[in-house]
Amino acid sequence: MSAVARMALLHLRTVAPYRTQGLLVFGLMVLVLARSPVGLVPALALLLAPLIAVHPFVVADKAGLETLYAVLPLPRRTVLLGHYAWALASFIATVTAGTALAVLLARAEGVQLGGRTLVTMLTLSWTLFAVNIAIQFPLLIRFGYARISVLGTTMPLALVMLAVYRLHLTIASIHTWLPLLWVAGAAAIVTSAALATHAPRPRA
């Protein structure tokens, strides 16, 4: 197992005591969006997956885990990339569970949810999540959650939602942009990680 993967596993153990709250939020969102199976997964990717991804920052600030990270026999770059690995794992887990539920809900409600729609739905989900995280993480890594909590969580969400509104992004409107959106999301994450790993250490 690589050092980055071990950091992601450490984040999993860090947030494990809070899994009940996460499952409750997940269940609530499913109940609210149950009548819109197609919109369920993008909504989870936009609202829930980033919350899970940033939770290690919340716990680290409360429990002083930055001190632990500093004494680990790992380069700072590896620690920071572990944050991004955890974020990607959060996205995959959330979207996998959401897609399974969306398929079940669609069948129960008699809604057509073919392969093309699923791919488009996942593409939109990836793009929304990637842009959100690409903005959030450098801010959180640079300033810490305690300093940037409100701005770091609401600003990226507001910017992404504004972009969705202004560009009129829907499942139907992005069929022809699927490869570009996957590449754009990946590029956003890679660029964000590069910026974060070269950023100064958090201010005391």
Side-chain angles (χ1 to χ4, degrees), residues 1-72:
M1 183 183 295
S2 71
V4 172
R6 287 199 295 270
M7 279 302 306
L9 183 59
L10 175 60
H11 292 326
L12 174 62
R13 292 173 178 170
T14 299
V15 303
Y18 304 90
R19 60 184 177 275
T20 301
Q21 295 95 314
L23 290 172
L24 286 174
V25 175
F26 178 81
L28 180 61
M29 290 189 66
V30 170
L31 287 175
V32 171
L33 298 165
R35 293 192 175 276
S36 178
V38 175
L40 174 62
V41 179
L44 290 172
L46 179 62
L47 301 173
L48 180 61
L51 289 178
I52 299 172
V54 304
H55 206 66
F57 290 99
V58 181
V59 179
D61 272 9
K62 289 182 178 179
L65 294 185
E66 287 299 334
T67 303
L68 170 63
Y69 297 157
V71 300
L72 289 175

Side-chain angles (χ1 to χ4, degrees), residues 77 80-81 84 133-134 137-138 141 186-199:
R77 180 175 180 274
L80 298 185
L81 290 179
Y84 284 88
I133 291 300
F137 270 36
I141 289 168
I189 292 290
V190 170
T191 302
S192 176
L195 291 173
T197 54
H198 290 88

Side-chain angles (χ1 to χ4, degrees), residues 105-112:
L105 289 171
R107 288 183 178 176
E109 298 173 13
V111 176
Q112 292 293 328

Side-chain angles (χ1 to χ4, degrees), residues 114-136:
R116 178 73 170 179
T117 301
L118 280 173
V119 171
T120 308
M121 179 180 71
L122 292 173
T123 302
L124 179 59
S125 301
W126 165 245
T127 306
L128 296 174
F129 173 81
V131 173
N132 200 340
I133 291 300
I135 298 171
Q136 277 187 330

